[in-house]
Amino acid sequence: MDNALVELIAANLAFVGTHFAMSHPLRAPMVRVLKEGGFSAVYSLVSAATLVWVYLAYKSAPVADLGGSGEFGWIAATILTLPALVLLAGSLAGNPALPMPGAEKQARAEPKGVFRVTRHPMMWAIGNWAFSHIVLWNSWRSVITALAMGILALIGAHLQDRKKEALMGDAWAEWEGRTSYWPKWRAIFTAGVIYWAVGIALWLLLSWVHMPLGGMPAGIWRWL
């Protein structure tokens, strides 16, 4: 295997592994020693450093060293990224999983918008994005990195449920009872006009900048 790909695998393992470790088994002992502020600082520093390593290793890895899945892959990727961005847009409002004041009250409320689809809209947005890049099958660097980010998001969502159960007790149990880990994709059509509008705008914008940033046209711009 190419040395650059070996380094990329190591970088992704470091990024994902430190996230899981610091978010779960190491969190409590680190907070006891460093307090919340110190823990947040170390968590952010380690996350930033390992993410930079992923970026640098990705840039050094071979480009387009797989055969690709052709037009089918691009059509599938284009379709997958639209609901991902609708979920992402809706995940930022009224999300009890985010560490914000009033989270318990939100967890006891009736699910609205993208939370009718899944209680982890942000994580499934990342998961959809990851799958869209895997299905393209253009390069090992994209497949490796997308797989790592997908694992981080979707296993992380499951582990987040366990953590929130411990932190929020009955409030999170109520939220779990009214929502689903697995997406109910038909419900995305009732996510709300505002989230669809923002999602479509992001979908068009991010696929448009894919050419200057990613080196190839993506989304509908590929056919325009």
Side-chain angles (χ1 to χ4, degrees):
M1 181 179 288
D2 188 287
N3 287 340
L5 289 178
V6 172
E7 182 181 356
L8 181 62
I9 292 171
N12 276 288
L13 285 173
F15 180 72
V16 173
T18 53
H19 263 71
F20 281 149
M22 291 189 298
S23 295
H24 300 285
L26 296 182
R27 190 183 193 284
M30 288 179 70
V31 169
R32 280 198 298 270
V33 174
L34 302 172
K35 309 305 180 189
E36 283 288 350
F39 168 76
S40 296
V42 170
Y43 186 99
S44 298
L45 182 62
V46 172
S47 297
T50 51
L51 185 59
V52 168
W53 186 18
V54 170
Y55 172 77
L56 294 175
Y58 182 91
K59 295 291 286 185
S60 299
V63 179
D65 52 345
L66 292 174
S69 51
E71 288 299 293
F72 166 79
W74 282 106
I75 292 169
T78 300
I79 293 170
L80 284 165
T81 50
L82 177 55
L85 290 167
V86 174
L87 288 177
L88 181 64
S91 71
L92 302 176
N95 189 346
L98 298 178
M100 299 173 65
E104 286 196 21
K105 182 178 179 180
Q106 291 170 346
R108 295 183 188 278
E110 189 65 25
K112 299 177 181 177
V114 296
F115 299 100
R116 295 191 186 104
V117 182
T118 173
R119 66 177 165 272
H120 297 292
M122 187 179 295
M123 300 301 198
W124 277 99
I126 297 170
N128 262 35
W129 169 88
F131 187 55
S132 75
H133 284 71
I134 293 170
V135 78
L136 285 173
W137 204 249
N138 278 331
S139 66
W140 277 115
R141 69 178 191 171
S142 292
V143 171
I144 291 166
T145 304
L147 182 62
M149 299 306 163
I151 289 171
L152 176 61
L154 300 184
I155 294 181
H158 176 72
L159 294 175
Q160 185 183 70
D161 278 338
R162 305 289 80 76
K163 182 168 68 175
K164 293 295 183 179
E165 286 167 5
L167 293 173
M168 295 173 65
D170 290 344
W172 193 261
E174 287 183 32
W175 186 242
E176 285 184 310
R178 290 194 298 271
T179 57
S180 172
Y181 169 86
W182 296 102
K184 298 177 179 178
W185 289 114
R186 284 181 293 182
I188 200 165
F189 297 107
T190 64
V193 173
I194 183 64
Y195 300 131
W196 269 96
V198 174
I200 290 170
L202 287 171
W203 183 62
L204 293 171
L205 174 63
L206 295 176
S207 56
W208 181 71
V209 301
H210 198 278
M211 181 63 204
L213 296 181
M216 61 181 69
I220 64 170
W221 309 109
R222 188 170 182 85
W223 297 285
L224 295 179

